[in-house]
Amino acid sequence: MSLVSAIPNCSPAIARAHFRRRLALETDCADVAAALRAGAPDFVLLHAVGSEAAFRKRHIPGALHLPARGITAERLGAWPADTLFVVYCAGPHCNGADRAALRLAELGRPVKVMLGGLTGWADEGLAFASEI
């Protein structure tokens, strides 16, 4: 018996529920890039970490800089209540997207985390935007 099969797998029904739940909370760089290329994405993309200067230097095209500490009910008033937010941070070593997602959820807003963040975006060979 291998380490892979030493712990029995779950039923397909449990696996289906688990992965459906994960996909309800997460998206990835390729799907975000495809939506942005198609134009008029059905979400607001938030760069959820770092300074404004770092954001201006390098961010995902179309993203807005709004770290968790700036996510307030007043700030979110700029969007309809059912707006889906997609948050990202520096990458797998960063929890800024999780912090922003938690804040958005606490304020009753739909949210997904873009897995990989800036690191994943770069790994996919996708272009960054810069304002400097």
Side-chain angles (χ1 to χ4, degrees), residues 8-20:
N9 58 290
C10 63
S11 72
I14 291 172
R16 183 177 56 247
H18 169 78
F19 292 114
R20 184 170 301 282

Side-chain angles (χ1 to χ4, degrees), residues 47-67 69 88 118 127-132:
H47 181 104
V49 293
S51 68
E52 186 67 32
F55 173 78
R56 284 193 310 273
K57 184 176 179 184
R58 184 178 84 149
H59 60 273
I60 294 172
L64 303 173
H65 184 239
L66 187 59
R69 67 185 175 278
Y88 71 91
L118 292 171
F128 289 97
S130 177
E131 297 171 14
I132 53 174

Side-chain angles (χ1 to χ4, degrees), residues 2-131:
S2 73
L3 291 175
V4 172
S5 62
I7 297 173
N9 58 290
C10 63
S11 72
I14 291 172
R16 183 177 56 247
H18 169 78
F19 292 114
R20 184 170 301 282
R21 239 184 337 272
R22 280 194 62 184
L23 291 171
L25 297 169
E26 301 170 344
T27 189
D28 66 15
C29 298
D31 290 346
V32 169
L36 294 174
R37 274 193 305 274
D42 55 355
F43 57 87
V44 173
L45 184 61
L46 297 181
H47 181 104
V49 293
S51 68
E52 186 67 32
F55 173 78
R56 284 193 310 273
K57 184 176 179 184
R58 184 178 84 149
H59 60 273
I60 294 172
L64 303 173
H65 184 239
L66 187 59
R69 67 185 175 278
I71 297 173
T72 63
E74 295 76 25
R75 178 70 174 98
L76 296 178
W79 297 280
D82 63 347
T83 299
L84 172 62
F85 291 90
V86 173
V87 295
Y88 71 91
C89 59
H93 60 283
C94 178
N95 68 3
D98 291 332
R99 290 177 186 275
L102 174 60
R103 185 71 184 129
L104 285 158
E106 288 173 341
L107 291 168
R109 296 306 192 109
V111 62
K112 289 188 178 195
V113 171
M114 185 185 79
L115 299 176
L118 292 171
T119 301
W121 195 263
D123 287 350
E124 294 280 338
L126 298 165
F128 289 97
S130 177
E131 297 171 14

